[in-house]
Amino acid sequence: MPERSSSDSSSSTTPTPSRASSPLPFSLHSASSSETESNSPLLGLGRYTSPGESRWIWRNLGSSSPRRRKRDGRRWRTFKGILRRIVRHPLFPRQPLTIILALLVFTVFAISLTLILLYVLNPDKEALPWRAYCTIPPTTSVPPHYRDTLPYPYINSLPKVMPPSFPPDDLDALPPAGLFLAVFSMDSSLERRMLIRTTWAAHPRSRNGAGEGDGGMGTSRTVVRFVLGQPRKGWERRIQSEMEMYNDMIILPCSENMNSGKSHAYFTWAASNAWVPPVYFNTTHPIPEFSYSNQYTPAPRLAPHDPYFAWKDSALGHPRPWVRPDYVAKVDDDAFVMLAELEARMRLELYATGQRPYGMPYISPDSPSFRVEASKMEPPTSAPANTSTSLMVEQEMPRDGSVNDPLVYWGYLVKEQFMAGELYGLSWSLVDWVSKDPGIKGLTRGAEDKQTAKWMGLHPRAAEIRWSSDHCWIYDHPRSGTVYSHGFLFPSEVSRVKKSVLAFLDKVSRNSSTGTTVVTSSTLLSLSHSSVSAFGTRYQQPLQEMDLAHSVEALVEGSNMSELQEGKSMNPERAWHTREGRITRYENKRVGGTVVVHFIKKHMWFLETALAFLEGDNFSEAELESLDADESRLNVSLASVWTDSSVFKPINASAAL
């Protein structure tokens, strides 16, 4: 506040004559006396005769200028005038019926506007060409930041070298991968946890594979646990009782959330507390040595759905110590996982090298053969021109021995940007880095799957991380109606899809002048066709009256039951009789089919999925009849050959002696 002058101070001490109060204040520009035009900033506000008005102006000091108050008052009067004209308009509804009609019109307009905005903002507007994904699957690749972005949807001209078929013949020659799989749940989801415990977490067909399976050897190092945030007050006792009964729950030191740091808290916890069983048996391929191979802890208390070999080892009285997992993964509790399928794919990625396809044996970077293989690899196409991949590795190579550790980011790659949150996994070296890097701690809020992809881009060896994606065998439940949805999928149907799609793409390429496939709406429609579901349409079963077994069979992609329609010659009994058994559907292989079914929002949907993948006979009635007929024909043929004297002569025993 500026200092006052001597004249101001003298005048302030001079007594002013008293006068009667006036009902109206003086104007700022009135020529009353020289005192009102003093340099004092307080007197510059004007003179007031009413104490109430004086208090009012003190309350409004600094709030708004008179000009602004006039402008606000003018706007308010203008708004009231416009509103008054609207209300007085002849078309404005005044009767009850017209008011109701007007409200209905407004409601329709609001709903239409909302739907339009949802459509414009929705990135998934068309069904995805899942048939093309299953025909030409992507192989192990370098991160999107270091390569040219593939066209989306993934429809290119046919590659010169097709990806290898899955599974390779030497899959079981490789030691099983250690997988720590966390199911993200919450305190109130007890029913869903019980469904998982009694189905895919423990069922032999989930852990062993199709047919006879492998007796659980592949998933002997796969552990399933439920991860929750801090339970609410009313749920603490129930959660504690559930933990003591099943011993398969982890409570993170954070509040329950979806996109506010729960994933980072889980990976941080796993870096110190995640353990899996060791390799219990010998395999043809030796067990590789990684930087974390020597870390171990005493065998913990087992959960009911832990691997059979872990329970067998525990029964001996001196169980072997548990070791660090090769992968730490997370899955949502609205997903159904086939553990043998998941472990098989992650096992192949564990022993792959560089940018080569899965199934290739792991080669240590210290060995001479690795240098030979590395010299054959081309550097990433989008890497800086003045920096080679080898130089980048030399500059950023860690010195703790983890350079030998595989760097794998596995899941369903969405639009070349991130692995979808229903299930993705990180190799151990990446988990350890995520838990320790200080820069990651500031990137924990937001869509958790997108944040995880950002973490991978910040890794000091980001160019070496293998973004391994599976677009064919991860999909949404047939009833969900999303762009990622189609019928339950088995290898036999995918073989038929491959044959038809390759013929279709070859025909289109030959008709094209450039020799490449033209992506049109009709092409997308044919490549996204499903015999079960359609995008944006609520699922309707083929026939009105169907029992549970028939309705589940109708959800299988390409099955006769899914293609039934009213008025067709084939009836449900015939379609059921000619269905494929599990052996035929898996083409006499243990694995090679669906890994994850996601978006299971109802318990009934979950049970349908369990019946489709965990139950069912190895052979259908028609297949058994065919086997019996083949066996009968074989017996008749052998009998005729045996009795044909021109081919076989009776043996004279005495002559032979």
Side-chain angles (χ1 to χ4, degrees):
M1 182 174 181
E3 297 181 358
R4 294 187 179 183
S5 61
S6 59
S7 60
D8 293 335
S9 60
S10 61
S11 62
S12 62
T13 56
T14 305
T16 56
S18 60
R19 60 176 179 268
S21 60
S22 174
L24 295 174
F26 283 95
S27 174
L28 292 176
H29 300 284
S30 62
S32 58
S33 66
S34 60
E35 296 182 33
T36 61
E37 298 180 2
S38 171
N39 293 330
S40 172
L42 296 179
L43 295 178
L45 295 172
R47 295 176 61 188
Y48 299 88
T49 57
S50 172
E53 291 175 344
S54 177
R55 287 193 300 269
W56 179 87
I57 201 64
W58 277 104
R59 286 196 306 267
N60 288 273
L61 282 177
S63 61
S64 61
S65 63
R67 183 177 301 175
R68 183 174 181 179
R69 290 197 300 272
K70 291 181 180 179
R71 184 169 60 251
D72 294 342
R74 190 181 302 112
R75 291 176 179 175
W76 173 245
R77 288 193 298 272
T78 303
F79 174 76
K80 289 195 298 184
I82 295 174
L83 184 62
R84 189 181 297 110
R85 284 194 293 270
I86 293 175
V87 173
R88 293 178 179 178
H89 195 275
L91 297 179
F92 190 83
R94 292 181 176 83
Q95 301 299 324
L97 180 61
T98 57
I99 292 175
I100 293 174
L101 292 176
L103 291 175
L104 289 176
V105 171
F106 178 78
T107 302
V108 171
F109 172 76
I111 294 175
S112 303
L113 181 61
T114 302
L115 294 177
I116 292 174
L117 291 176
L118 290 175
Y119 177 80
V120 172
L121 298 177
N122 182 18
D124 301 320
K125 297 181 177 64
E126 295 181 349
L128 300 181
W130 65 270
R131 292 175 176 265
Y133 296 159
C134 294
T135 304
I136 314 174
T139 57
T140 302
S141 60
V142 294
H145 317 295
Y146 295 90
R147 59 184 167 89
D148 294 333
T149 303
L150 294 174
Y152 189 84
Y154 181 76
I155 304 176
N156 296 333
S157 56
L158 298 182
K160 296 180 180 179
V161 179
M162 295 295 292
S165 60
F166 180 87
D169 296 333
D170 61 343
L171 171 64
D172 292 331
L174 302 174
L179 172 61
F180 190 95
L181 179 61
V183 181
F184 275 31
S185 183
M186 57 186 302
D187 51 16
S188 59
S189 300
L190 172 61
E191 292 183 0
R192 182 55 59 94
R193 288 193 292 274
M194 292 304 302
L195 286 173
I196 293 173
R197 289 183 179 114
T198 55
T199 53
W200 62 260
H203 199 282
R205 282 183 171 170
S206 173
R207 284 193 167 269
N208 302 354
E212 295 298 329
D214 65 347
M217 291 187 293
T219 58
S220 61
R221 306 184 63 210
T222 300
V223 173
V224 178
R225 294 292 183 265
F226 297 95
V227 172
L228 292 76
Q230 292 293 323
R232 292 167 292 181
K233 288 294 183 182
W235 290 87
E236 290 179 349
R237 188 174 181 84
R238 281 174 280 187
I239 294 299
Q240 183 65 31
S241 301
E242 186 180 355
M243 291 176 64
E244 294 177 359
M245 178 175 292
Y246 297 103
N247 195 45
D248 61 356
M249 301 180 67
I250 300 165
I251 307 299
L252 298 175
C254 66
S255 60
E256 183 59 55
N257 66 86
M258 178 184 296
N259 297 315
S260 297
K262 183 176 180 179
S263 295
H264 183 265
Y266 161 61
F267 287 119
T268 302
W269 176 93
S272 302
N273 301 283
W275 304 95
V276 295
V279 178
Y280 290 116
F281 46 86
N282 295 326
T283 55
T284 305
H285 195 278
I287 301 174
E289 290 293 328
F290 300 120
S291 66
Y292 52 88
S293 298
N294 295 326
Q295 301 182 35
Y296 60 90
T297 189
R301 179 187 167 197
L302 298 178
H305 47 74
D306 277 344
Y308 162 77
F309 285 92
W311 277 99
K312 182 178 179 181
D313 186 49
S314 177
L316 297 177
H318 300 282
R320 296 174 56 184
W322 284 28
V323 298
R324 290 298 187 191
D326 298 307
Y327 293 97
V328 175
K330 60 91 44 177
V331 63
D332 294 338
D333 64 355
D334 65 342
F336 191 97
V337 184
M338 297 295 286
L339 292 178
E341 301 283 355
L342 176 62
E343 187 278 333
R345 285 160 175 82
M346 288 191 162
R347 187 195 312 187
L348 293 182
E349 283 299 331
L350 185 67
Y351 300 107
T353 58
Q355 302 175 35
R356 299 182 63 180
Y358 51 61
M360 304 305 296
Y362 177 82
I363 304 176
S364 173
D366 297 332
S367 63
S369 57
F370 177 85
R371 300 187 184 96
V372 174
E373 295 296 334
S375 63
K376 299 178 182 179
M377 299 179 188
E378 298 180 359
T381 55
S382 301
N386 58 350
T387 304
S388 65
T389 305
S390 59
L391 180 60
M392 190 182 307
V393 173
E394 290 178 3
Q395 292 176 345
E396 300 175 348
M397 183 180 298
R399 299 181 180 180
D400 58 356
S402 61
V403 66
N404 295 347
D405 297 348
L407 302 175
V408 181
Y409 179 29
W410 190 94
Y412 184 103
L413 186 59
V414 179
K415 297 185 178 180
E416 299 291 314
Q417 296 178 7
F418 60 93
M419 299 297 179
E422 62 262 28
L423 187 147
Y424 61 85
L426 303 177
S427 57
W428 174 258
S429 183
L430 295 177
V431 174
D432 188 53
W433 171 78
V434 166
S435 67
K436 297 177 181 178
D437 188 86
I440 300 301
K441 296 180 180 179
L443 297 174
T444 60
R445 295 185 178 273
E448 57 96 13
D449 45 10
K450 295 182 180 179
Q451 293 291 4
T452 304
K454 291 181 181 178
W455 301 345
M456 300 302 101
L458 297 176
H459 194 276
R461 297 164 59 194
E464 301 176 58
I465 299 177
R466 298 200 302 271
W467 290 49
S468 179
S469 176
D470 197 324
H471 286 95
C472 179
W473 300 107
I474 302 177
Y475 51 90
D476 288 353
H477 191 277
R479 294 182 184 271
S480 63
T482 67
V483 296
Y484 305 99
S485 172
H486 53 71
F488 295 139
L489 201 57
F490 292 93
S492 60
E493 176 63 16
V494 170
S495 296
R496 291 186 286 268
V497 167
K498 287 181 179 180
K499 184 177 180 180
S500 62
V501 171
L502 287 175
F504 170 77
L505 295 179
D506 183 64
K507 178 180 178 181
V508 175
S509 298
R510 282 188 280 104
N511 295 337
S512 176
S513 59
T514 59
T516 58
T517 304
V518 181
V519 182
T520 62
S521 58
S522 59
T523 303
L524 291 176
L525 183 62
S526 61
L527 295 178
S528 61
H529 169 71
S530 170
S531 65
V532 177
S533 60
F535 170 54
T537 303
R538 184 177 180 180
Y539 173 78
Q540 296 289 338
Q541 61 184 20
L543 302 177
Q544 294 295 328
E545 299 296 333
M546 299 181 72
D547 59 23
L548 180 59
H550 289 185
S551 63
V552 172
E553 179 68 16
L555 295 173
V556 175
E557 190 68 44
S559 65
N560 291 332
M561 194 72 70
S562 69
E563 297 177 346
L564 286 178
Q565 292 181 4
E566 297 286 355
K568 277 198 170 184
S569 58
M570 181 175 288
N571 54 39
E573 289 72 19
R574 179 63 179 171
W576 176 259
H577 184 76
T578 58
R579 73 189 187 281
E580 293 181 333
R582 291 181 57 83
I583 301 297
T584 303
R585 282 179 172 170
Y586 280 91
E587 300 178 332
N588 293 315
K589 295 181 180 180
R590 182 175 68 87
V591 292
T594 294
V595 180
V596 179
V597 178
H598 181 233
F599 209 90
I600 306 178
K601 297 302 182 183
K602 298 181 179 180
H603 293 337
M604 186 60 198
W605 298 6
F606 194 97
L607 295 175
E608 289 174 342
T609 310
L611 289 172
F613 290 102
L614 303 181
E615 301 299 326
D617 300 325
N618 286 335
F619 299 97
S620 65
E621 290 84 349
E623 292 172 343
L624 289 175
E625 293 174 358
S626 178
L627 289 175
D628 292 340
D630 292 341
E631 185 178 359
S632 299
R633 285 193 297 268
L634 179 61
N635 292 334
V636 171
S637 299
L638 290 176
S640 62
V641 170
W642 179 256
T643 57
D644 188 355
S645 60
S646 63
V647 178
F648 293 102
K649 299 294 183 180
I651 298 177
N652 190 328
S654 60
L657 292 174

